[in-house]
């Protein structure tokens, strides 16, 4: 079991471009969570998804950000028209059940230039 | 809104010098309190989950304890490889979909020879 896999590890985008971050959960895990970590700040919850459903998106910015977890394939966090303030480490985590401890991936470090 | 405050922000210990990290929290209906370890450039690594006041868990040189308002991570005779940022998080809520974690900003621990 390779754990939670995130790619790419590093992503550089120019302002105005789109960023797509991918997350493959641990085998058998159907609950996926996305968190953002800004420099010198704690991890902030963004969104919680199950297969084909968004359960809680209370931490997602209202514009430019979207997430999906299709029936087949990885979960995708999409950021449209990136701005410098989007530069951060984005972590995905998965769990076997809701309200359960979860396992994090190694993150995608997004740099907007 | 759930809140987590960790102290100190940074701690420098000599090898073998025991100490404790503090995590104070306010949460509506605690479902679990989590401790993670995060190394530079990596995702958080799960250490412990505590569910109720009075509970204690141990792993090697680490021991986590929980009261109704705070948790402590005790480090006994630390080694340089224990150097990392230690994160505390709470999972709260009284509804079935309460899965998100609220994190503190962490304690950066450095253990020197």
């Amino acid at each position: 079991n390779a754990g939670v896999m995130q790619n790419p590890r590093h992503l550089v985008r120019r302002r105005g471009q789109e960023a797509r971050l991918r997350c493959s959960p641990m085998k058998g895990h159907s609950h996926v969570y996305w968190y953002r970590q800004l420099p010198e700040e704690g991890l902030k919850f963004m969104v919680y998804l199950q297969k084909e459903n968004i359960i809680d998106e209370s931490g997602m910015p209202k514009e430019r950000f979207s997430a999906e977890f299709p029936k087949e394939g990885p979960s995708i966090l999409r950021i449209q028209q990136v701005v410098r303030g989007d530069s951060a480490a984005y972590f995905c985590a998965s769990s076997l059940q809701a309200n359960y401890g979860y396992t994090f991936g190694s993150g995608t470090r997004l740099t907007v230039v | 809104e759930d809140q987590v405050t960790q102290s100190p922000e940074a701690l420098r210990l000599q090898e073998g010098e025991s100490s404790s990290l503090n995590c104070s929290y306010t949460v509506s209906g605690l479902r679990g309190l989590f401790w993670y370890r995060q190394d530079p450039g990596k995702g958080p690594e799960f250490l412990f989950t505590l569910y109720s006041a009075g509970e204690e868990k141990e792993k090697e040189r680490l021991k986590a304890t929980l009261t109704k308002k705070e948790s402590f991570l005790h480090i006994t005779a630390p080694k340089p490889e224990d150097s990392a940022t230690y994160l505390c998080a709470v999972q709260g809520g009284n509804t079935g979909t309460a899965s998100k974690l609220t994190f503190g900003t962490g304690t950066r621990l450095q253990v020197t020879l």
Side-chain angles (χ1 to χ4, degrees), chain A residues 9 33 35 37 42-43 45 48 58 91 98-99 101-102 104-106 109, chain B residues 31 34 36 38 41-44 87 91 96-101 103-105:
Chain A
R9 289 296 308 276
Y33 313 83
Y35 283 76
Q37 189 172 41
L43 285 154
F45 169 78
Y48 162 36
S58 59
F91 290 96
N99 301 320
Y102 37 74
F104 280 88
S106 296
R109 278 143 191 87
Chain B
R31 290 180 176 265
F34 300 80
Y36 284 85
Q38 187 174 24
K42 296 190 176 181
L87 303 172
Q91 187 175 57
T97 58
S99 281
K100 66 181 181 184
L101 298 186
F103 281 85
T105 52

PDB file of all heavy atoms in Angstrom, chain A residues 9 33 35 37 42-43 45 48 58 91 98-99 101-102 104-106 109, chain B residues 31 34 36 38 41-44 87 91 96-101 103-105:
ATOM      1  N   ARG A   9       4.532  16.965  -6.998  1.00  0.00           N
ATOM      2  CA  ARG A   9       5.074  17.398  -5.710  1.00  0.00           C
ATOM      3  C   ARG A   9       5.287  18.904  -5.696  1.00  0.00           C
ATOM      4  O   ARG A   9       5.106  19.547  -4.662  1.00  0.00           O
ATOM      5  CB  ARG A   9       6.405  16.691  -5.411  1.00  0.00           C
ATOM      6  CG  ARG A   9       6.271  15.215  -5.087  1.00  0.00           C
ATOM      7  CD  ARG A   9       5.482  14.993  -3.788  1.00  0.00           C
ATOM      8  NE  ARG A   9       5.994  15.764  -2.660  1.00  0.00           N
ATOM      9  CZ  ARG A   9       7.000  15.386  -1.886  1.00  0.00           C
ATOM     10  NH1 ARG A   9       7.625  14.253  -2.108  1.00  0.00           N
ATOM     11  NH2 ARG A   9       7.398  16.141  -0.877  1.00  0.00           N
ATOM     12  N   TYR A  33      -9.923  14.439   1.965  1.00  0.00           N
ATOM     13  CA  TYR A  33      -9.926  15.789   2.536  1.00  0.00           C
ATOM     14  C   TYR A  33      -8.774  16.581   1.919  1.00  0.00           C
ATOM     15  O   TYR A  33      -7.692  16.039   1.708  1.00  0.00           O
ATOM     16  CB  TYR A  33      -9.715  15.728   4.055  1.00  0.00           C
ATOM     17  CG  TYR A  33     -10.570  14.701   4.758  1.00  0.00           C
ATOM     18  CD1 TYR A  33     -10.176  13.373   4.799  1.00  0.00           C
ATOM     19  CD2 TYR A  33     -11.760  15.057   5.370  1.00  0.00           C
ATOM     20  CE1 TYR A  33     -10.951  12.414   5.436  1.00  0.00           C
ATOM     21  CE2 TYR A  33     -12.542  14.102   6.012  1.00  0.00           C
ATOM     22  CZ  TYR A  33     -12.122  12.787   6.037  1.00  0.00           C
ATOM     23  OH  TYR A  33     -12.910  11.842   6.662  1.00  0.00           O
ATOM     24  N   TYR A  35      -6.440  20.104   2.516  1.00  0.00           N
ATOM     25  CA  TYR A  35      -6.025  21.142   3.448  1.00  0.00           C
ATOM     26  C   TYR A  35      -4.991  22.019   2.772  1.00  0.00           C
ATOM     27  O   TYR A  35      -4.243  21.569   1.897  1.00  0.00           O
ATOM     28  CB  TYR A  35      -5.402  20.529   4.710  1.00  0.00           C
ATOM     29  CG  TYR A  35      -6.404  19.955   5.678  1.00  0.00           C
ATOM     30  CD1 TYR A  35      -7.027  18.739   5.427  1.00  0.00           C
ATOM     31  CD2 TYR A  35      -6.731  20.630   6.847  1.00  0.00           C
ATOM     32  CE1 TYR A  35      -7.953  18.222   6.310  1.00  0.00           C
ATOM     33  CE2 TYR A  35      -7.659  20.116   7.745  1.00  0.00           C
ATOM     34  CZ  TYR A  35      -8.263  18.913   7.471  1.00  0.00           C
ATOM     35  OH  TYR A  35      -9.191  18.406   8.349  1.00  0.00           O
ATOM     36  N   GLN A  37      -1.757  24.753   3.615  1.00  0.00           N
ATOM     37  CA  GLN A  37      -0.827  25.230   4.640  1.00  0.00           C
ATOM     38  C   GLN A  37      -0.039  26.400   4.069  1.00  0.00           C
ATOM     39  O   GLN A  37       0.781  26.223   3.166  1.00  0.00           O
ATOM     40  CB  GLN A  37       0.108  24.106   5.080  1.00  0.00           C
ATOM     41  CG  GLN A  37       0.969  24.459   6.290  1.00  0.00           C
ATOM     42  CD  GLN A  37       1.741  23.245   6.795  1.00  0.00           C
ATOM     43  OE1 GLN A  37       2.270  22.455   6.019  1.00  0.00           O
ATOM     44  NE2 GLN A  37       1.809  23.088   8.116  1.00  0.00           N
ATOM     45  N   GLY A  42      -1.044  27.390  10.304  1.00  0.00           N
ATOM     46  CA  GLY A  42      -1.443  26.001  10.479  1.00  0.00           C
ATOM     47  C   GLY A  42      -2.166  25.474   9.258  1.00  0.00           C
ATOM     48  O   GLY A  42      -2.511  26.205   8.344  1.00  0.00           O
ATOM     49  N   LEU A  43      -2.405  24.193   9.270  1.00  0.00           N
ATOM     50  CA  LEU A  43      -3.197  23.562   8.220  1.00  0.00           C
ATOM     51  C   LEU A  43      -4.647  24.017   8.317  1.00  0.00           C
ATOM     52  O   LEU A  43      -5.241  23.973   9.388  1.00  0.00           O
ATOM     53  CB  LEU A  43      -3.136  22.044   8.373  1.00  0.00           C
ATOM     54  CG  LEU A  43      -1.835  21.383   7.935  1.00  0.00           C
ATOM     55  CD1 LEU A  43      -1.621  20.077   8.677  1.00  0.00           C
ATOM     56  CD2 LEU A  43      -1.859  21.125   6.444  1.00  0.00           C
ATOM     57  N   PHE A  45      -8.525  23.534   6.812  1.00  0.00           N
ATOM     58  CA  PHE A  45      -9.439  22.669   6.090  1.00  0.00           C
ATOM     59  C   PHE A  45     -10.031  23.393   4.882  1.00  0.00           C
ATOM     60  O   PHE A  45     -10.394  24.569   4.958  1.00  0.00           O
ATOM     61  CB  PHE A  45     -10.568  22.237   7.025  1.00  0.00           C
ATOM     62  CG  PHE A  45     -11.715  21.549   6.338  1.00  0.00           C
ATOM     63  CD1 PHE A  45     -11.621  20.224   5.955  1.00  0.00           C
ATOM     64  CD2 PHE A  45     -12.887  22.243   6.062  1.00  0.00           C
ATOM     65  CE1 PHE A  45     -12.675  19.592   5.322  1.00  0.00           C
ATOM     66  CE2 PHE A  45     -13.951  21.623   5.439  1.00  0.00           C
ATOM     67  CZ  PHE A  45     -13.841  20.290   5.068  1.00  0.00           C
ATOM     68  N   TYR A  48     -14.153  18.363   2.038  1.00  0.00           N
ATOM     69  CA  TYR A  48     -14.257  16.938   2.370  1.00  0.00           C
ATOM     70  C   TYR A  48     -15.154  16.299   1.310  1.00  0.00           C
ATOM     71  O   TYR A  48     -16.271  16.760   1.072  1.00  0.00           O
ATOM     72  CB  TYR A  48     -14.820  16.798   3.783  1.00  0.00           C
ATOM     73  CG  TYR A  48     -15.400  15.450   4.157  1.00  0.00           C
ATOM     74  CD1 TYR A  48     -14.851  14.253   3.710  1.00  0.00           C
ATOM     75  CD2 TYR A  48     -16.493  15.387   5.021  1.00  0.00           C
ATOM     76  CE1 TYR A  48     -15.396  13.033   4.082  1.00  0.00           C
ATOM     77  CE2 TYR A  48     -17.041  14.175   5.414  1.00  0.00           C
ATOM     78  CZ  TYR A  48     -16.489  13.006   4.943  1.00  0.00           C
ATOM     79  OH  TYR A  48     -17.026  11.804   5.324  1.00  0.00           O
ATOM     80  N   SER A  58     -16.957  23.954   3.378  1.00  0.00           N
ATOM     81  CA  SER A  58     -17.018  25.196   4.146  1.00  0.00           C
ATOM     82  C   SER A  58     -15.696  25.955   4.170  1.00  0.00           C
ATOM     83  O   SER A  58     -15.668  27.145   4.440  1.00  0.00           O
ATOM     84  CB  SER A  58     -17.485  24.916   5.573  1.00  0.00           C
ATOM     85  OG  SER A  58     -16.598  24.006   6.221  1.00  0.00           O
ATOM     86  N   PHE A  91      -2.302  19.825   0.956  1.00  0.00           N
ATOM     87  CA  PHE A  91      -2.221  18.444   1.407  1.00  0.00           C
ATOM     88  C   PHE A  91      -3.570  17.752   1.238  1.00  0.00           C
ATOM     89  O   PHE A  91      -4.620  18.323   1.515  1.00  0.00           O
ATOM     90  CB  PHE A  91      -1.818  18.373   2.882  1.00  0.00           C
ATOM     91  CG  PHE A  91      -0.394  18.783   3.132  1.00  0.00           C
ATOM     92  CD1 PHE A  91      -0.088  20.072   3.520  1.00  0.00           C
ATOM     93  CD2 PHE A  91       0.644  17.867   2.972  1.00  0.00           C
ATOM     94  CE1 PHE A  91       1.215  20.458   3.743  1.00  0.00           C
ATOM     95  CE2 PHE A  91       1.955  18.242   3.186  1.00  0.00           C
ATOM     96  CZ  PHE A  91       2.246  19.538   3.570  1.00  0.00           C
ATOM     97  N   ALA A  98     -15.713   8.152   8.006  1.00  0.00           N
ATOM     98  CA  ALA A  98     -15.853   9.520   8.502  1.00  0.00           C
ATOM     99  C   ALA A  98     -15.586   9.526   9.999  1.00  0.00           C
ATOM    100  O   ALA A  98     -15.691   8.501  10.673  1.00  0.00           O
ATOM    101  CB  ALA A  98     -17.265  10.022   8.214  1.00  0.00           C
ATOM    102  N   ASN A  99     -15.233  10.687  10.518  1.00  0.00           N
ATOM    103  CA  ASN A  99     -14.982  10.844  11.951  1.00  0.00           C
ATOM    104  C   ASN A  99     -13.950   9.848  12.453  1.00  0.00           C
ATOM    105  O   ASN A  99     -14.078   9.241  13.501  1.00  0.00           O
ATOM    106  CB  ASN A  99     -16.296  10.700  12.747  1.00  0.00           C
ATOM    107  CG  ASN A  99     -17.304  11.720  12.309  1.00  0.00           C
ATOM    108  OD1 ASN A  99     -16.964  12.871  12.052  1.00  0.00           O
ATOM    109  ND2 ASN A  99     -18.546  11.314  12.178  1.00  0.00           N
ATOM    110  N   GLY A 101      -9.455   9.081  12.338  1.00  0.00           N
ATOM    111  CA  GLY A 101      -8.155   9.666  12.034  1.00  0.00           C
ATOM    112  C   GLY A 101      -7.777   9.407  10.598  1.00  0.00           C
ATOM    113  O   GLY A 101      -8.154   8.384  10.040  1.00  0.00           O
ATOM    114  N   TYR A 102      -7.059  10.333   9.981  1.00  0.00           N
ATOM    115  CA  TYR A 102      -6.706  10.083   8.600  1.00  0.00           C
ATOM    116  C   TYR A 102      -5.239  10.245   8.297  1.00  0.00           C
ATOM    117  O   TYR A 102      -4.462  10.780   9.087  1.00  0.00           O
ATOM    118  CB  TYR A 102      -7.571  10.880   7.628  1.00  0.00           C
ATOM    119  CG  TYR A 102      -7.996  12.284   7.969  1.00  0.00           C
ATOM    120  CD1 TYR A 102      -7.099  13.328   7.914  1.00  0.00           C
ATOM    121  CD2 TYR A 102      -9.334  12.568   8.255  1.00  0.00           C
ATOM    122  CE1 TYR A 102      -7.526  14.620   8.137  1.00  0.00           C
ATOM    123  CE2 TYR A 102      -9.759  13.853   8.484  1.00  0.00           C
ATOM    124  CZ  TYR A 102      -8.860  14.882   8.419  1.00  0.00           C
ATOM    125  OH  TYR A 102      -9.285  16.165   8.645  1.00  0.00           O
ATOM    126  N   PHE A 104      -2.211  11.519   5.755  1.00  0.00           N
ATOM    127  CA  PHE A 104      -1.904  12.599   4.824  1.00  0.00           C
ATOM    128  C   PHE A 104      -0.931  12.143   3.744  1.00  0.00           C
ATOM    129  O   PHE A 104      -0.080  11.265   3.967  1.00  0.00           O
ATOM    130  CB  PHE A 104      -1.264  13.773   5.562  1.00  0.00           C
ATOM    131  CG  PHE A 104      -2.241  14.654   6.275  1.00  0.00           C
ATOM    132  CD1 PHE A 104      -2.623  14.374   7.577  1.00  0.00           C
ATOM    133  CD2 PHE A 104      -2.778  15.762   5.650  1.00  0.00           C
ATOM    134  CE1 PHE A 104      -3.521  15.185   8.250  1.00  0.00           C
ATOM    135  CE2 PHE A 104      -3.676  16.583   6.305  1.00  0.00           C
ATOM    136  CZ  PHE A 104      -4.054  16.288   7.614  1.00  0.00           C
ATOM    137  N   GLY A 105      -1.029  12.789   2.592  1.00  0.00           N
ATOM    138  CA  GLY A 105      -0.017  12.658   1.559  1.00  0.00           C
ATOM    139  C   GLY A 105       1.130  13.617   1.819  1.00  0.00           C
ATOM    140  O   GLY A 105       1.118  14.360   2.809  1.00  0.00           O
ATOM    141  N   SER A 106       2.098  13.621   0.907  1.00  0.00           N
ATOM    142  CA  SER A 106       3.279  14.470   1.081  1.00  0.00           C
ATOM    143  C   SER A 106       3.080  15.891   0.589  1.00  0.00           C
ATOM    144  O   SER A 106       3.952  16.729   0.764  1.00  0.00           O
ATOM    145  CB  SER A 106       4.470  13.843   0.352  1.00  0.00           C
ATOM    146  OG  SER A 106       4.800  12.602   0.943  1.00  0.00           O
ATOM    147  N   ARG A 109       3.363  21.474  -3.524  1.00  0.00           N
ATOM    148  CA  ARG A 109       3.780  22.843  -3.245  1.00  0.00           C
ATOM    149  C   ARG A 109       3.574  23.693  -4.487  1.00  0.00           C
ATOM    150  O   ARG A 109       4.271  23.502  -5.474  1.00  0.00           O
ATOM    151  CB  ARG A 109       5.229  22.871  -2.759  1.00  0.00           C
ATOM    152  CG  ARG A 109       5.296  22.545  -1.283  1.00  0.00           C
ATOM    153  CD  ARG A 109       6.499  21.726  -0.882  1.00  0.00           C
ATOM    154  NE  ARG A 109       6.352  21.251   0.488  1.00  0.00           N
ATOM    155  CZ  ARG A 109       5.731  20.127   0.822  1.00  0.00           C
ATOM    156  NH1 ARG A 109       5.231  19.344  -0.105  1.00  0.00           N
ATOM    157  NH2 ARG A 109       5.609  19.772   2.088  1.00  0.00           N
TER     158      ARG A 109
ATOM    159  N   ARG B  31     -14.895  14.958  19.317  1.00  0.00           N
ATOM    160  CA  ARG B  31     -14.920  13.588  18.797  1.00  0.00           C
ATOM    161  C   ARG B  31     -13.543  12.949  18.919  1.00  0.00           C
ATOM    162  O   ARG B  31     -13.428  11.730  19.063  1.00  0.00           O
ATOM    163  CB  ARG B  31     -15.376  13.566  17.346  1.00  0.00           C
ATOM    164  CG  ARG B  31     -16.845  13.907  17.159  1.00  0.00           C
ATOM    165  CD  ARG B  31     -17.225  13.861  15.692  1.00  0.00           C
ATOM    166  NE  ARG B  31     -18.653  14.088  15.491  1.00  0.00           N
ATOM    167  CZ  ARG B  31     -19.549  13.114  15.379  1.00  0.00           C
ATOM    168  NH1 ARG B  31     -19.164  11.856  15.446  1.00  0.00           N
ATOM    169  NH2 ARG B  31     -20.815  13.398  15.186  1.00  0.00           N
ATOM    170  N   PHE B  34      -6.061  14.879  18.050  1.00  0.00           N
ATOM    171  CA  PHE B  34      -5.037  14.185  17.283  1.00  0.00           C
ATOM    172  C   PHE B  34      -3.690  14.885  17.440  1.00  0.00           C
ATOM    173  O   PHE B  34      -3.616  16.117  17.469  1.00  0.00           O
ATOM    174  CB  PHE B  34      -5.402  14.165  15.794  1.00  0.00           C
ATOM    175  CG  PHE B  34      -6.703  13.477  15.502  1.00  0.00           C
ATOM    176  CD1 PHE B  34      -7.913  14.125  15.683  1.00  0.00           C
ATOM    177  CD2 PHE B  34      -6.708  12.177  15.040  1.00  0.00           C
ATOM    178  CE1 PHE B  34      -9.112  13.484  15.415  1.00  0.00           C
ATOM    179  CE2 PHE B  34      -7.909  11.529  14.766  1.00  0.00           C
ATOM    180  CZ  PHE B  34      -9.110  12.184  14.955  1.00  0.00           C
ATOM    181  N   TYR B  36       0.028  14.974  15.453  1.00  0.00           N
ATOM    182  CA  TYR B  36       0.769  14.606  14.248  1.00  0.00           C
ATOM    183  C   TYR B  36       2.184  15.161  14.381  1.00  0.00           C
ATOM    184  O   TYR B  36       2.427  16.173  15.041  1.00  0.00           O
ATOM    185  CB  TYR B  36       0.134  15.214  12.990  1.00  0.00           C
ATOM    186  CG  TYR B  36      -1.124  14.547  12.510  1.00  0.00           C
ATOM    187  CD1 TYR B  36      -2.361  14.896  13.046  1.00  0.00           C
ATOM    188  CD2 TYR B  36      -1.086  13.580  11.510  1.00  0.00           C
ATOM    189  CE1 TYR B  36      -3.530  14.297  12.585  1.00  0.00           C
ATOM    190  CE2 TYR B  36      -2.243  12.986  11.042  1.00  0.00           C
ATOM    191  CZ  TYR B  36      -3.467  13.347  11.588  1.00  0.00           C
ATOM    192  OH  TYR B  36      -4.621  12.749  11.129  1.00  0.00           O
ATOM    193  N   GLN B  38       5.292  16.568  11.841  1.00  0.00           N
ATOM    194  CA  GLN B  38       5.550  16.982  10.469  1.00  0.00           C
ATOM    195  C   GLN B  38       7.009  17.358  10.311  1.00  0.00           C
ATOM    196  O   GLN B  38       7.522  18.235  11.010  1.00  0.00           O
ATOM    197  CB  GLN B  38       4.665  18.167  10.063  1.00  0.00           C
ATOM    198  CG  GLN B  38       4.789  18.526   8.586  1.00  0.00           C
ATOM    199  CD  GLN B  38       3.814  19.603   8.148  1.00  0.00           C
ATOM    200  OE1 GLN B  38       3.337  20.397   8.945  1.00  0.00           O
ATOM    201  NE2 GLN B  38       3.501  19.624   6.856  1.00  0.00           N
ATOM    202  N   GLY B  41       9.032  19.782   4.530  1.00  0.00           N
ATOM    203  CA  GLY B  41       8.780  19.316   3.175  1.00  0.00           C
ATOM    204  C   GLY B  41       7.937  18.058   3.073  1.00  0.00           C
ATOM    205  O   GLY B  41       7.774  17.503   1.986  1.00  0.00           O
ATOM    206  N   LYS B  42       7.380  17.616   4.181  1.00  0.00           N
ATOM    207  CA  LYS B  42       6.573  16.391   4.176  1.00  0.00           C
ATOM    208  C   LYS B  42       5.192  16.634   4.751  1.00  0.00           C
ATOM    209  O   LYS B  42       4.919  17.678   5.343  1.00  0.00           O
ATOM    210  CB  LYS B  42       7.289  15.300   4.971  1.00  0.00           C
ATOM    211  CG  LYS B  42       8.617  14.889   4.358  1.00  0.00           C
ATOM    212  CD  LYS B  42       9.162  13.648   5.030  1.00  0.00           C
ATOM    213  CE  LYS B  42      10.436  13.193   4.347  1.00  0.00           C
ATOM    214  NZ  LYS B  42      10.993  11.944   4.967  1.00  0.00           N
ATOM    215  N   GLY B  43       4.326  15.649   4.558  1.00  0.00           N
ATOM    216  CA  GLY B  43       2.995  15.724   5.125  1.00  0.00           C
ATOM    217  C   GLY B  43       2.983  15.308   6.581  1.00  0.00           C
ATOM    218  O   GLY B  43       3.905  14.648   7.056  1.00  0.00           O
ATOM    219  N   PRO B  44       1.951  15.689   7.310  1.00  0.00           N
ATOM    220  CA  PRO B  44       1.841  15.282   8.717  1.00  0.00           C
ATOM    221  C   PRO B  44       1.763  13.766   8.856  1.00  0.00           C
ATOM    222  O   PRO B  44       1.078  13.098   8.071  1.00  0.00           O
ATOM    223  CB  PRO B  44       0.542  15.940   9.171  1.00  0.00           C
ATOM    224  CG  PRO B  44       0.328  17.080   8.229  1.00  0.00           C
ATOM    225  CD  PRO B  44       0.860  16.591   6.924  1.00  0.00           C
ATOM    226  N   LEU B  87       2.074  18.827  15.619  1.00  0.00           N
ATOM    227  CA  LEU B  87       0.786  19.464  15.375  1.00  0.00           C
ATOM    228  C   LEU B  87      -0.301  18.804  16.205  1.00  0.00           C
ATOM    229  O   LEU B  87      -0.343  17.574  16.314  1.00  0.00           O
ATOM    230  CB  LEU B  87       0.405  19.358  13.897  1.00  0.00           C
ATOM    231  CG  LEU B  87       1.382  19.942  12.881  1.00  0.00           C
ATOM    232  CD1 LEU B  87       0.945  19.590  11.462  1.00  0.00           C
ATOM    233  CD2 LEU B  87       1.469  21.445  13.040  1.00  0.00           C
ATOM    234  N   GLN B  91     -11.183  17.269  16.339  1.00  0.00           N
ATOM    235  CA  GLN B  91     -12.311  16.942  15.470  1.00  0.00           C
ATOM    236  C   GLN B  91     -13.542  17.072  16.339  1.00  0.00           C
ATOM    237  O   GLN B  91     -13.686  16.362  17.335  1.00  0.00           O
ATOM    238  CB  GLN B  91     -12.166  15.515  14.954  1.00  0.00           C
ATOM    239  CG  GLN B  91     -13.177  15.109  13.905  1.00  0.00           C
ATOM    240  CD  GLN B  91     -12.872  13.710  13.373  1.00  0.00           C
ATOM    241  OE1 GLN B  91     -12.806  12.755  14.132  1.00  0.00           O
ATOM    242  NE2 GLN B  91     -12.674  13.596  12.068  1.00  0.00           N
ATOM    243  N   GLY B  96     -23.426  14.034  12.227  1.00  0.00           N
ATOM    244  CA  GLY B  96     -22.775  12.880  11.623  1.00  0.00           C
ATOM    245  C   GLY B  96     -21.726  13.225  10.590  1.00  0.00           C
ATOM    246  O   GLY B  96     -20.862  12.417  10.295  1.00  0.00           O
ATOM    247  N   THR B  97     -21.739  14.433  10.029  1.00  0.00           N
ATOM    248  CA  THR B  97     -20.788  14.753   8.961  1.00  0.00           C
ATOM    249  C   THR B  97     -19.604  15.555   9.465  1.00  0.00           C
ATOM    250  O   THR B  97     -18.858  16.108   8.680  1.00  0.00           O
ATOM    251  CB  THR B  97     -21.483  15.555   7.848  1.00  0.00           C
ATOM    252  OG1 THR B  97     -22.036  16.748   8.401  1.00  0.00           O
ATOM    253  CG2 THR B  97     -22.566  14.736   7.194  1.00  0.00           C
ATOM    254  N   ALA B  98     -19.422  15.629  10.767  1.00  0.00           N
ATOM    255  CA  ALA B  98     -18.337  16.443  11.316  1.00  0.00           C
ATOM    256  C   ALA B  98     -17.031  15.692  11.204  1.00  0.00           C
ATOM    257  O   ALA B  98     -16.634  15.001  12.126  1.00  0.00           O
ATOM    258  CB  ALA B  98     -18.645  16.798  12.756  1.00  0.00           C
ATOM    259  N   SER B  99     -16.327  15.804  10.075  1.00  0.00           N
ATOM    260  CA  SER B  99     -15.086  15.078   9.901  1.00  0.00           C
ATOM    261  C   SER B  99     -13.850  15.946   9.853  1.00  0.00           C
ATOM    262  O   SER B  99     -12.753  15.440   9.973  1.00  0.00           O
ATOM    263  CB  SER B  99     -15.142  14.260   8.609  1.00  0.00           C
ATOM    264  OG  SER B  99     -15.881  13.084   8.807  1.00  0.00           O
ATOM    265  N   LYS B 100     -13.999  17.250   9.643  1.00  0.00           N
ATOM    266  CA  LYS B 100     -12.815  18.079   9.442  1.00  0.00           C
ATOM    267  C   LYS B 100     -12.055  18.242  10.747  1.00  0.00           C
ATOM    268  O   LYS B 100     -12.602  18.187  11.841  1.00  0.00           O
ATOM    269  CB  LYS B 100     -13.201  19.453   8.893  1.00  0.00           C
ATOM    270  CG  LYS B 100     -14.015  20.307   9.838  1.00  0.00           C
ATOM    271  CD  LYS B 100     -14.364  21.626   9.176  1.00  0.00           C
ATOM    272  CE  LYS B 100     -15.165  22.522  10.097  1.00  0.00           C
ATOM    273  NZ  LYS B 100     -15.580  23.774   9.417  1.00  0.00           N
ATOM    274  N   LEU B 101     -10.747  18.418  10.607  1.00  0.00           N
ATOM    275  CA  LEU B 101      -9.866  18.682  11.731  1.00  0.00           C
ATOM    276  C   LEU B 101      -9.516  20.161  11.766  1.00  0.00           C
ATOM    277  O   LEU B 101      -9.300  20.779  10.720  1.00  0.00           O
ATOM    278  CB  LEU B 101      -8.573  17.876  11.614  1.00  0.00           C
ATOM    279  CG  LEU B 101      -8.671  16.352  11.630  1.00  0.00           C
ATOM    280  CD1 LEU B 101      -7.278  15.742  11.650  1.00  0.00           C
ATOM    281  CD2 LEU B 101      -9.495  15.867  12.798  1.00  0.00           C
ATOM    282  N   PHE B 103      -6.596  22.519  13.157  1.00  0.00           N
ATOM    283  CA  PHE B 103      -5.216  22.383  13.601  1.00  0.00           C
ATOM    284  C   PHE B 103      -4.719  23.613  14.331  1.00  0.00           C
ATOM    285  O   PHE B 103      -5.135  24.745  14.044  1.00  0.00           O
ATOM    286  CB  PHE B 103      -4.286  22.169  12.389  1.00  0.00           C
ATOM    287  CG  PHE B 103      -4.276  20.772  11.859  1.00  0.00           C
ATOM    288  CD1 PHE B 103      -5.233  20.347  10.947  1.00  0.00           C
ATOM    289  CD2 PHE B 103      -3.299  19.874  12.271  1.00  0.00           C
ATOM    290  CE1 PHE B 103      -5.217  19.050  10.455  1.00  0.00           C
ATOM    291  CE2 PHE B 103      -3.279  18.572  11.779  1.00  0.00           C
ATOM    292  CZ  PHE B 103      -4.235  18.167  10.880  1.00  0.00           C
ATOM    293  N   GLY B 104      -3.788  23.401  15.260  1.00  0.00           N
ATOM    294  CA  GLY B 104      -2.988  24.475  15.797  1.00  0.00           C
ATOM    295  C   GLY B 104      -1.834  24.765  14.854  1.00  0.00           C
ATOM    296  O   GLY B 104      -1.639  24.067  13.848  1.00  0.00           O
ATOM    297  N   THR B 105      -1.055  25.789  15.187  1.00  0.00           N
ATOM    298  CA  THR B 105       0.063  26.173  14.319  1.00  0.00           C
ATOM    299  C   THR B 105       1.327  25.381  14.604  1.00  0.00           C
ATOM    300  O   THR B 105       2.316  25.522  13.895  1.00  0.00           O
ATOM    301  CB  THR B 105       0.361  27.669  14.439  1.00  0.00           C
ATOM    302  OG1 THR B 105       0.509  28.000  15.819  1.00  0.00           O
ATOM    303  CG2 THR B 105      -0.775  28.513  13.856  1.00  0.00           C
TER     304      THR B 105
END
